[in-house]
Amino acid sequence: MRVLSGPALAVAVSCAGGLGFTGPGVRTQDMIVDLEEASKLVEKARNTSSVFKTFPTTHPLLPVGVGFQLWGDDINVAVANIERFKPCAAWLYAPREGPVEFENWSRRIRKVSPLTQIWIQIGTLGGAKQLLETSEKPDVVVVQGAEAGGHGRTKDGVGIMSLFPEVADALGSSQIPLLAAGGIADGRGVAAALCLGASGSVMGTRFLAAKEARISRGYQNEILRASDGAVTTTRTLLYNHLRGNFGWPAEYSPRTIINKSFVEQQAGIAFGELKKRHDEALKMGDSGWGPEGRLATYAGTSVGLIHEVRYAGDIVREVQEDALERIRSLRANNK
Amino acid sequence: MRVLSGPALAVAVSCAGGLGFTGPGVRTQDMIVDLEEASKLVEKARNTSSVFKTFPTTHPLLPVGVGFQLWGDDINVAVANIERFKPCAAWLYAPREGPVEFENWSRRIRKVSPLTQIWIQIGTLGGAKQLLETSEKPDVVVVQGAEAGGHGRTKDGVGIMSLFPEVADALGSSQIPLLAAGGIADGRGVAAALCLGASGSVMGTRFLAAKEARISRGYQNEILRASDGAVTTTRTLLYNHLRGNFGWPAEYSPRTIINKSFVEQQAGIAFGELKKRHDEALKMGDSGWGPEGRLATYAGTSVGLIHEVRYAGDIVREVQEDALERIRSLRANNK
């Protein structure tokens, strides 16, 4: 959700009782604009309705988090903006140098904004265990299963159903709240994650179909159209490369909806030609996406559970209510 | 669990309130011996305690199911034995010819034992949808995620967290009960599966660490030792081939714990040499398994959740109680 989740989406999610994050944007500097806009939207929301249950007006933090990609983001810019805007959470992911980078970022962020919660996303048991050894413990750990859209582990990812409980057992003594990510797009998944021991869950793909998402119509239409994520999505670096993005550490690759760029790559067409065709498709507007399109369409395996574009607040409320209702009805069926 | 789940394990699971299945054995004929033994064990259990809540003595069926691998099993032998032993369920999987084989087997089985429930296992949304078109609807559909041990989908498998709800939406109108399989090894997973909409769940790997499993000590020790299934297990046909098993349809391959055979294959050692070394390891008894071993060690990604060998009945009871307790406590925490 690096670019796709802007201030409007993040604030809408937080307004409705979730916690919305803005991405770091294309460059770390871009977060200034997003956080300024988010601050204004929060101000406006506070003046018009009684929202942000957990963040009353007197709360010193911005009720929105910011995500970072440690391998590419500028820590000095990040820290300066965290100091200035005081987002309630900073989400750290994908260090190039391993856990020492989590530690360094956490220390720097806490120094300028001690109340900002540090969220760290991991996708492996090994990654989780390393967090126990750092001197800067995260406030929240996000456990990402192989189902997740966008960037995740290329070779050592696994379904959240067994990854989550194993990580929970390994981190249990730390008392750090764990959130489940990957493959969760409705109340069923959220309730399931709670049963696995999660304190909550993370949804990315679901919000690609939010009205407030910073996403092209063609891309969003694909989220609605695609189903059967096992077959229609794959992890591949191709679309990063077509977009000129070569920076991600080797362990990561994004899950994306398959279209002609990937199909033709598999058929043996050379990268140079694919790149030419991709760049032509960039000029085609919304028809650059879709089965006959060529543009990056990052999404998780949960695409088949998403059928309509809705306001983010409605998504949050519906998912929460559905999750609670599922737990209630199971309870009713079992004494 | 083709060979690993024998009559002792199956009857113990059913005794405790689950439903145990025997595998078809190496050859379909082998099921005669297993079902004879299972019948005796059921008789004995009924005489010594008040077990089989759902199967009173007057029930006309054997409270144990039988699994089949359609691509390799002999339908005539299978049907003759179902007629003779009346197992309560027949689990059908992996047809070579597609859904028509499910239909044919279901019709033949129902003709000789109308009360025997037909369970069909699928691992894709497409496979699930095909079941809606058959004239012989299954009584139960088992939805298998990519986490599962043993044979599953090679290329189009996906985590149960998003596969299950998508299949449930597709089959919802059929009213067929759905069970979740893959990555589930304790009460957390069972409770999560119920939240996803499952009527229940299936555990295979967990029962490899049952006292009653028909398994070598060396193999069982590996189930206890291995953790981090994302890294320590993989899907590969290598071990099938080392065992002289070349029959599975192309869509399937087994998930197995990695040992030297796989490591050396990846390092480029030729199959002939791997086979020679494997066959030597076969003579080594229990030390043929383990990280330095070479023998097939089929298991799911949930291996890291399994820490001790227990009686199957204790596993069933503990998992059921834990699942219920999780649902109760979530309910209590949410009004």
Side-chain angles (χ1 to χ4, degrees):
Chain A
M1 305 283 279
R2 183 168 204 181
V3 177
L4 304 166
S5 177
L9 177 56
V11 172
V13 168
S14 289
C15 259
L19 179 54
F21 281 75
T22 63
V26 175
R27 301 164 311 153
T28 324
Q29 293 90 309
D30 301 340
M31 67 183 285
I32 303 184
V33 180
D34 279 354
L35 287 175
E36 271 175 351
E37 175 69 9
S39 302
K40 281 183 206 157
L41 290 172
V42 166
E43 195 71 22
K44 194 172 152 198
R46 276 183 169 141
N47 289 337
T48 54
S49 62
S50 58
V51 291
F52 306 118
K53 290 176 228 175
T54 48
F55 287 92
T57 312
T58 54
H59 197 287
L61 298 180
L62 186 69
V64 162
V66 190
F68 294 101
Q69 292 172 352
L70 301 196
W71 65 265
D73 284 323
D74 180 330
I75 187 169
N76 294 315
V77 175
V79 166
N81 283 296
I82 287 174
E83 183 168 17
R84 175 170 164 202
F85 292 101
K86 298 277 191 302
C88 65
W91 179 317
L92 311 182
Y93 183 46
R96 198 183 291 287
E97 314 292 342
V100 64
E101 241 174 313
F102 284 136
E103 211 165 56
N104 185 30
W105 275 69
S106 301
R107 191 177 303 117
R108 292 280 306 271
I109 291 169
R110 283 174 172 152
K111 200 170 166 188
V112 299
S113 181
L115 294 178
T116 294
Q117 304 275 295
I118 306 289
W119 291 32
I120 289 183
Q121 177 176 334
I122 52 88
T124 64
L125 181 65
K129 285 181 173 173
Q130 286 177 335
L131 297 178
L132 290 179
E133 291 154 25
T134 68
S135 62
E136 297 282 337
K137 297 275 179 301
D139 298 293
V140 169
V141 173
V142 178
V143 183
Q144 184 199 45
E147 295 92 338
H151 286 79
R153 305 295 296 191
T154 301
K155 289 187 177 163
D156 52 8
V158 70
I160 193 75
M161 184 62 89
S162 65
L163 177 66
F164 191 93
E166 194 171 2
V167 167
D169 288 342
L171 295 192
S173 61
S174 73
Q175 305 284 326
I176 300 171
L178 308 180
L179 304 183
I184 299 170
D186 60 23
R188 291 175 287 192
V190 170
L194 295 176
C195 288
L196 292 179
S199 297
S201 30
V202 170
M203 299 194 302
T205 304
R206 182 63 190 92
F207 288 111
L208 295 182
K211 281 192 202 290
E212 298 91 339
R214 196 154 58 181
I215 189 173
S216 304
R217 181 57 57 97
Y219 190 156
Q220 198 169 53
N221 285 343
E222 266 299 271
I223 302 299
L224 304 185
R225 184 201 61 81
S227 64
D228 197 1
V231 174
T232 60
T233 74
T234 191
R235 285 199 185 278
T236 172
L237 287 167
L238 173 64
Y239 295 90
N240 278 5
H241 296 170
L242 289 172
R243 289 154 53 89
N245 180 346
F246 290 86
W248 276 85
E251 300 91 333
Y252 303 92
S253 59
R255 183 178 291 284
T256 184
I257 298 174
I258 291 169
N259 61 21
K260 285 188 88 166
S261 293
F262 182 76
V263 170
E264 292 178 359
Q265 183 201 41
Q266 297 304 100
I269 309 242
F271 179 77
E273 179 60 27
L274 294 175
K275 170 74 175 157
K276 208 177 84 189
R277 295 178 188 177
H278 170 270
D279 292 350
E280 282 300 312
L282 271 177
K283 303 172 193 158
M284 293 166 57
D286 289 329
S287 60
W289 287 275
E292 297 302 310
R294 298 176 172 282
L295 304 182
T297 319
Y298 301 137
T301 64
S302 64
V303 278
L305 302 175
I306 301 167
H307 306 298
E308 54 177 343
V309 175
R310 303 188 59 190
Y311 285 108
D314 291 335
I315 294 172
V316 171
R317 281 182 289 270
E318 183 185 270
V319 167
Q320 285 183 338
E321 282 162 19
D322 187 41
L324 286 174
E325 183 49 37
R326 291 205 162 252
I327 291 164
R328 276 191 206 107
S329 71
L330 280 180
R331 178 72 180 83
N333 292 335
N334 293 291
K335 283 165 294 178
Chain B
M1 304 283 279
R2 182 168 204 180
V3 177
L4 304 166
S5 178
L9 177 56
V11 173
V13 168
S14 289
C15 259
L19 180 54
F21 281 76
T22 64
V26 177
R27 301 163 311 154
T28 325
Q29 294 89 309
D30 301 339
M31 67 182 284
I32 303 183
V33 179
D34 279 353
L35 287 175
E36 271 176 350
E37 176 68 9
S39 302
K40 281 184 207 158
L41 289 172
V42 166
E43 195 71 22
K44 197 173 151 198
R46 275 182 169 141
N47 289 336
T48 54
S49 61
S50 58
V51 291
F52 306 117
K53 292 176 226 174
T54 47
F55 287 92
T57 312
T58 54
H59 197 286
L61 298 180
L62 186 68
V64 162
V66 189
F68 294 101
Q69 291 172 351
L70 301 195
W71 63 266
D73 284 323
D74 180 330
I75 188 170
N76 294 315
V77 175
V79 166
N81 283 296
I82 287 173
E83 182 167 21
R84 176 170 161 203
F85 292 101
K86 300 279 192 296
C88 65
W91 178 317
L92 311 183
Y93 184 47
R96 198 182 292 285
E97 313 292 341
V100 65
E101 241 174 311
F102 284 135
E103 210 165 58
N104 184 29
W105 276 69
S106 301
R107 191 178 301 114
R108 292 280 306 271
I109 290 169
R110 283 173 171 152
K111 199 169 167 191
V112 299
S113 181
L115 294 178
T116 293
Q117 303 276 294
I118 306 289
W119 291 31
I120 288 183
Q121 178 177 332
I122 53 87
T124 64
L125 181 66
K129 285 181 173 172
Q130 285 178 335
L131 297 178
L132 290 178
E133 291 155 24
T134 67
S135 62
E136 296 281 339
K137 296 275 179 300
D139 297 293
V140 169
V141 173
V142 178
V143 183
Q144 184 199 44
E147 295 92 339
H151 286 79
R153 305 296 295 192
T154 301
K155 288 186 180 165
D156 52 8
V158 71
I160 193 75
M161 184 62 87
S162 65
L163 177 65
F164 191 93
E166 195 171 3
V167 167
D169 289 342
L171 296 192
S173 62
S174 73
Q175 305 282 327
I176 300 171
L178 308 180
L179 304 184
I184 299 169
D186 60 24
R188 291 174 287 191
V190 170
L194 295 176
C195 287
L196 292 178
S199 298
S201 30
V202 169
M203 298 194 302
T205 304
R206 182 63 191 93
F207 288 111
L208 296 181
K211 281 192 201 290
E212 298 92 339
R214 197 153 58 181
I215 189 172
S216 302
R217 181 59 55 97
Y219 190 157
Q220 199 168 52
N221 285 343
E222 266 299 271
I223 301 300
L224 303 187
R225 184 201 61 80
S227 65
D228 197 1
V231 174
T232 61
T233 74
T234 192
R235 286 200 184 278
T236 171
L237 287 168
L238 174 64
Y239 295 89
N240 278 5
H241 297 169
L242 289 172
R243 290 154 52 89
N245 179 346
F246 290 85
W248 276 84
E251 300 91 334
Y252 303 92
S253 59
R255 183 178 293 282
T256 183
I257 297 175
I258 291 169
N259 60 21
K260 286 189 87 165
S261 293
F262 182 76
V263 170
E264 292 178 358
Q265 183 202 40
Q266 297 304 100
I269 309 241
F271 180 77
E273 180 60 27
L274 293 175
K275 170 74 175 157
K276 209 177 84 187
R277 296 178 189 179
H278 170 269
D279 291 352
E280 282 300 312
L282 270 178
K283 302 172 193 157
M284 293 166 57
D286 288 328
S287 60
W289 287 275
E292 298 302 309
R294 298 177 173 282
L295 304 183
T297 319
Y298 302 137
T301 64
S302 66
V303 278
L305 303 175
I306 302 168
H307 307 297
E308 54 177 342
V309 175
R310 303 190 58 190
Y311 285 108
D314 291 335
I315 295 172
V316 170
R317 280 182 290 269
E318 184 185 89
V319 167
Q320 285 183 337
E321 283 162 19
D322 186 41
L324 286 173
E325 184 48 38
R326 289 201 165 255
I327 291 163
R328 275 190 207 109
S329 70
L330 280 179
R331 179 72 180 84
N333 292 336
N334 292 290
K335 283 164 296 183

